[in-house]
Amino acid sequence: MTLSNNILQGEFGRAGNNAARFGINSTAGILGIFDPASKLGFEDQGKEDFGQTIGVWGADSGCYFVLPIIGPTTTRDAIGLVGNIFLDPVYHVTHNSEIHNGLVGNDNYSEHSYYYYRGTGAVDFRSKNIESFDSLERNAIDLYASVKSLYIQERNKKIANAQSLVGTQDASDWEEIDTN
Amino acid sequence: MKKNFFIIIFFVFFSFILPNKSHAYSSDPKQFISEIVAEAKEILAETNSQEFKTKKLTEMALKIVDIKGIGYYTLGSYRKELSDDQKEEYSILFEQYFLKSFTSRLTDYSDPKIDVLCVEVLNPKYTIVKSLLLATNKKPAVTIDWRVYTKNPDKPLIRDIIIEGLSLARTQKEEFASVIESNNGDITKLFITLKEFVKNN
């Protein structure tokens, strides 16, 4: 999915890097268990999704809202979620209609497997970050606003492919404040 | 004569030694952050009690963080609407809130290992110091950038901590704006919320 989105965003260098990583790690890395690609200079440059691609194309984020299980999102990213389904190879392996069309697919898996995979991914993400969520919950005076702010900052950073906040946000507000 | 001599020594001591102690951190932003990281690591050692950690972190925050500046930043455009009395009240409240929140977040960590990597000078007033919280068996590495206010080059102060590209000050600012906006722009409701937070934590 990242590779497809790299190409859709015109990031051909990153697409080449990810194609090389896939080739090396799925063979020499024994189906991705190990990561020899990084040692060869093909570093992991992060995941891309269709929401980011639409953002790169210039779409505004739209309204912010929270979906069950999936969590925080915006209108742009919700549309991106639909796009992700069609770009995700796991969906093509599990989707019944594809099997009926005889294109790709696997009789051993049903379409439900894809949604279990997505759902458990969301639960896994929460469990790995449970301490951060607890801390945020304990210290927030408006938890909804905190999560919204963090989500939008994170998405803006990903769309800009920025390594730090400095390149993606207007810091002019800081310039007005002098205390010494 | 002997008495006068001791009085002079006394004043010389307090004129030079004590001010140096209160500005004990380096004026070089990278060294400044390195010293803070080393001090925080000592404070957050597993063997220290929660009370000790909270007390020491509070003392440290008062010396190294521009709490007043962060307070004004987090108010955004609403700061222009405050009277002088409200500014005074807000500064006191924000400091109490900040210290509670700051120590609560940090005391969850024990023995953090942070490498200070490099600096990026944005302008004469701001320098970003980049660092990395090293990965452990349980957690991946986390990038931490520090926005250091260098208007007074002899006494740098921290104004923001940016974790994996996410600004804590900006998050705080948007949180405060949300509280004010959901109360029809009534800034006193933010004061009440801050008071409740300080009271309950």
Side-chain angles (χ1 to χ4, degrees), chain B residues 92-110:
Chain B
I92 294 166
L93 265 177
F94 183 79
E95 183 175 295
Q96 292 171 344
Y97 163 77
F98 179 87
L99 291 172
K100 287 261 181 187
S101 172
F102 175 80
T103 53
S104 166
R105 283 173 209 260
L106 283 184
T107 48
D108 290 340
Y109 293 91
S110 42

Side-chain angles (χ1 to χ4, degrees), chain B residues 165-198:
Chain B
L166 309 179
S167 157
L168 295 187
R170 187 182 173 89
T171 305
Q172 193 84 81
K173 180 183 177 183
E174 286 169 5
E175 206 179 350
F176 282 16
S178 171
V179 172
I180 297 168
E181 282 160 20
S182 60
N183 286 289
N184 302 316
D186 184 354
I187 208 158
T188 59
K189 292 288 193 297
L190 174 67
F191 290 12
I192 294 167
T193 308
L194 292 176
K195 277 178 194 164
E196 282 172 1
F197 180 91
V198 172

Side-chain angles (χ1 to χ4, degrees), chain B residues 30-47:
Chain B
K30 189 178 175 189
Q31 185 60 28
F32 170 62
I33 296 298
S34 298
E35 287 169 4
I36 289 164
V37 165
E39 191 176 338
K41 189 176 155 65
E42 276 180 32
I43 295 170
L44 294 170
E46 275 184 46
T47 47

